[in-house]
Amino acid sequence: MKWIFYKIFPLILFFSAESLFSLTITKTEPPNWWSGMETDTVTLLIYGDDFTGFSAQTSGEFAKILEAHPYPNPAYYRVKLKILKSGTETITFKKKKGLFSHESATMEFPIAERTGKLPADINARDVIYLLMPDRFSDGDTDRNFIPGHKDPVRPEHPWGRRGGDLQGVINQLDYLGDLGITVLWMTPVFENNYINCYHGYTPTDLYAIEPHLGDFQTYRELVDKSQSLGIKVIMDHIINHISPSHPLAQNPPSSEWINYSVEDFEPCNYRIFDVINTWGPDSLREIVQSGWFAGYLADMNLRHDAVVDYWITHAIWWIETFGLDGIRQDTWPYSDTAGSATWARGVRKEYPGLFILGETMVFEKTPLSFFFSNRPDLQNGLSSITDFAHSSQIHQLTTGKTGIKTFYENLSLDFMYRNPSMMTVFMDNHDMGRFFTDTGEDIRVYVNAFTLLYGLRGIPQIYYGDEIGMTGGHDPENRKKFPGGFPDDATSAFTQDERNEVENLLYHQFRRWNRLRQEHPGLFTAPMKHILIGDSLYAAWRCDDYSILILIYNDDFEPASVTMNSLVPEINGKDAELISPLYNAEKIPLDTQYKTAIPAKTAVMWLFTGGRP
């Protein structure tokens, strides 16, 4: 009897190991990598049912393992690979089940040859166009119903999806090209299978496209077609938070990955001064940067090296896969200061010139400067920040809440920024009420503000519909459908014939501002000068070798005479073109002596050209 037991035992063990207890691998992040990268080591986060006791090995032909082990949560395994060459590396997981048997599972990890394409340069010559795909244009109505999705298209619900998608954006690229847009920024396109998540900021799968919007093929087509039209594409990225339903929030690899937990967390308190406070304790900063944004979004712990590495890998994968030109990083101040800077340096190791725009919703200049400072200890790897302080100053000046002297003095404090010419300037966005509504739909005030925006330092960003005077209060009224982008729309603002008089007036003004940057790019990287003339006149100008741009704002209630060549003598002999306001051009003549009258409460922009050899 004893002999029979030993004879059959190995067979029973082999059967149970291979059939009843086999390891299931469900996902790998990232799903692939490339040879020839500066980042030639990559850490895989592998999802499965239970990696307890498993060890990993490779053939070593295409990649070799530098580190491999299960996480404290055995549903995840960590494999750090050294990439050797392109091909498909097989990773085998083995676990001993007895003296003569083992359990095993394999996965394939593709390694491609990189294309060598690098992100294009983005600077003050550009104009950024921000749109929400769900609210812009519906080009694929078959995607309006995704079975089992938690956030369906709900046209009547204030926070429901409307059905816009990536194909809709592709269909309108010619419109953006005609408008003179050079950079496209869309709110996140990652899968968001969560309630009221049409905006994209509650990702549930970071390596998938939201199915309502499209798929990888459509996204690639959008990027390629945009770039063929001279429109660069930046990705909206989020290292601060994920959906509370994301597996990394529900069941993290270890307790260090998420600040707090789904069952027990603190909301973000948004106390920016606790982040920038020179004398404040680290504990106060950590509360701001660990709290859950919007009171429900699971906060990623960027004090944990593995999380920072995860986000570096994620950003590089998307840039390399789709040939993207930059990143807009969401909620920058609310991520750990050191961790987010490490993330930026990690991405820049692969793409040194990458444009990284940090969202910094801070409306006062001094605290805002913390995030774009000259101080060596505050260098965070950002190319640009969202300049809410400048936006606020233009808003207050043009709507009569402050005077031109205050505006001039405030802009004169730009020395506190690292590179003010690279800051992103705007009048509204998806988190603000529509500026046209704020002006009471006053075209003069609206054009004044954007004349200042386009004429002064910085990279202009317009929000979809700014160019036709879309209206609305704060969320969700600031996120209405673009007229003409949806099958049931009565008229289309994408075409001149269907735009009304005001929409066409504004469209052609924005088109002239945008195209000015394409026609005279050197003007917008040239140094800006500005002065205050008396109590009510403000002037700013910039020059390249052959052209001069002059902006004058009359803050008085009476017209003001200005002789422009006494202000900027270099315009003598040059031809003049009024850039704005186009709608009132006949009231702003310029005589042969370069003398003009600036109407009351009006911003005027002139271009002077000529003298080219």
Side-chain angles (χ1 to χ4, degrees), residues 337-353:
T337 302
S340 55
T342 301
W343 167 83
R345 287 193 294 270
V347 178
R348 286 199 184 283
K349 177 184 175 185
E350 194 62 52
Y351 309 106

Side-chain angles (χ1 to χ4, degrees), residues 535-556:
D535 295 327
S536 58
L537 275 180
Y538 171 83
W541 64 93
R542 59 181 81 206
C543 312
D544 66 9
D545 291 340
Y546 308 109
S547 52
I548 299 169
L549 189 69
I550 300 179
L551 182 154
I552 299 178
Y553 183 76
N554 177 13
D555 196 34
D556 203 346

Side-chain angles (χ1 to χ4, degrees), residues 191-261:
E191 180 194 89
N192 274 238
N193 191 5
Y194 194 73
I195 191 168
N196 299 338
C197 63
Y198 66 90
H199 44 69
Y201 292 101
T202 55
T204 54
D205 188 334
L206 292 155
Y207 284 90
I209 300 284
E210 166 54 44
H212 282 100
L213 300 182
D215 52 28
F216 284 150
Q217 180 179 347
T218 316
Y219 188 55
R220 186 184 303 280
E221 181 184 355
L222 188 155
V223 174
D224 290 347
K225 286 191 174 181
S226 297
Q227 292 171 341
S228 73
L229 293 171
I231 301 173
K232 294 162 262 194
V233 180
I234 60 177
M235 171 181 65
D236 206 327
H237 200 242
I238 319 158
I239 59 176
N240 182 66
H241 55 260
I242 54 177
S243 168
S245 65
H246 192 290
L248 294 179
Q250 289 284 322
N251 188 35
S254 69
S255 60
E256 295 92 351
W257 275 65
I258 302 293
N259 290 311
Y260 303 106
S261 69

Side-chain angles (χ1 to χ4, degrees), residues 369-370 372-379 414-420:
S369 70
F370 176 88
F372 209 55
S373 170
N374 285 310
R375 278 175 46 180
D377 59 322
L378 295 180
Q379 299 309 297
D414 271 357
F415 65 84
M416 63 178 65
Y417 295 125
R418 179 162 73 246
N419 187 353

